[in-house]
Amino acid sequence: MAAARTAVRGLSTDELSSIRDSLAAGRKPKVVFTAAAGQIEGQTGQVVQLTDPDASDEFVVVRFGRDELPFSPTDLAVPPRGASRATPAKKAAPAAPVAEPPPGPALLPPAPAVVPAPREEKKVTASTVSTVEEPTEAPRPAKRAAKPARPKGPAGLTVTLAYADGEWTVAAAQGTKSLAKPYVIRPAEALKMVALVDVPGVHEAVEQIMASERAEAESQAEKLRAELAEIEARLAELRDVG
C-alpha cells in the first residue's frame, strides 16, 4: 500500500476518458483515493458512473464499501501499475545422494537408496497470487435530527350569520362537526353581530336589507290599517242596525 499512499495529482482528462470507455464496455475500473479525499486516503474503490461535470465538480461516482458516493477528479487517481506481482514457482527439492557402502568384504548386497518422491509443482499465476484489497466501509454521514412534531390544535370554529327570505339565521360548526344548525334570530340581534365586523361593505349591505324590510313592513302596516278601518266601519253599521 506504500505505492498507493504517495502524492498523486488526481485524474487527468485522458484517464477520465479511459474510465468512460471502460464503463461503456461494462467494466468498473479501480481508483485510489488521494490526500484530497481526507481520511480515506490510500483506500481503493470502483468507478460505477460518470455524471454531468457541468452540473457538479463531484461527477465521479465511486463504490466504496456498501455506498456509492460522488467525488471530484482531484480526490481520485489511477492505481500505479505493478502494485501486485506473481511470486516465482517453487522448485522441486533435489534428490538425496545415494550412500556408498564402506570398503571391506561384501557380506550382503547394499540396500537400495531411498529417493524421496518429487514434490508436485504448482503453477502460481499472477491472478492467484495478487491480493485484492477489500475496500473498507466509508463512514456514513450522520442522519439529521427529525423535526419535533407539532401538537395538533383543535379544529377551526366557524360561525355563520346569513340572511334569506326575510329572516336572519345563525349557524356554528367546528371542523366538519355541526355545533348548531341554522336558527332564526331577530334583526336587532343580527345588527349587534354585524356591528362587531369592521367592514364598510358589510354595514352597507345590512343597511340596505334593513331599509328594504322596513319599507315592506310599513306597506303591510298601511294595508292592515286600511283593512281594519273598513272592518270597524262595517261593525259600526251592524251595531246601528241592531
Side-chain angles (χ1 to χ4, degrees):
M1 296 298 298
R5 297 182 180 274
T6 58
V8 290
R9 56 182 176 77
L11 297 174
S12 64
T13 304
D14 294 339
E15 290 171 340
L16 288 172
S17 179
S18 177
I19 290 175
R20 185 174 286 103
D21 295 340
S22 297
L23 291 174
R27 298 189 297 272
K28 295 179 177 58
K30 291 184 180 180
V31 289
V32 63
F33 293 100
T34 66
Q39 61 182 354
I40 58 176
E41 176 189 1
Q43 302 293 334
T44 59
Q46 288 181 311
V47 180
V48 296
Q49 184 183 5
L50 293 180
T51 60
D52 187 4
D54 296 334
S56 174
D57 294 337
E58 298 179 345
F59 61 90
V60 184
V61 182
V62 180
R63 179 179 295 164
F64 184 61
R66 298 180 180 177
D67 298 326
E68 294 183 359
L69 304 173
F71 292 90
S72 65
T74 57
D75 297 334
L76 308 168
V78 176
R81 296 181 180 179
S84 59
R85 297 178 179 176
T87 58
K90 296 182 180 180
K91 296 183 179 180
V98 179
E100 296 182 359
L107 300 176
L108 295 174
V114 178
V115 180
R119 297 182 181 179
E120 182 181 357
E121 295 185 0
K122 295 183 180 180
K123 295 183 179 180
V124 183
T125 61
S127 61
T128 58
V129 175
S130 61
T131 57
V132 179
E133 181 182 358
E134 293 292 336
T136 58
E137 184 175 357
R140 297 185 180 181
K143 295 182 179 180
R144 297 182 180 178
K147 295 182 179 179
R150 295 182 179 179
K152 187 177 181 181
L157 178 65
T158 304
V159 179
T160 304
L161 174 66
Y163 173 81
D165 298 331
E167 293 182 344
W168 291 91
T169 58
V170 173
Q174 186 173 19
T176 58
K177 180 181 179 182
S178 176
L179 300 179
K181 294 182 179 181
Y183 62 93
V184 180
I185 61 174
R186 294 181 300 173
E189 296 174 345
L191 287 177
K192 291 180 181 179
M193 297 179 67
V194 173
L196 299 176
V197 182
D198 189 14
V199 179
V202 176
H203 289 276
E204 293 177 0
V206 172
E207 288 177 0
Q208 292 177 0
I209 292 173
M210 291 300 180
S212 176
E213 286 190 349
R214 191 180 301 111
E216 185 178 355
E218 290 177 354
S219 176
Q220 291 180 356
E222 289 295 333
K223 184 178 179 180
L224 291 175
R225 290 192 191 99
E227 292 179 356
L228 180 60
E230 188 176 327
I231 293 173
E232 288 180 349
R234 183 178 178 184
L235 179 60
E237 290 177 1
L238 292 174
R239 288 175 178 173
D240 294 340
V241 173

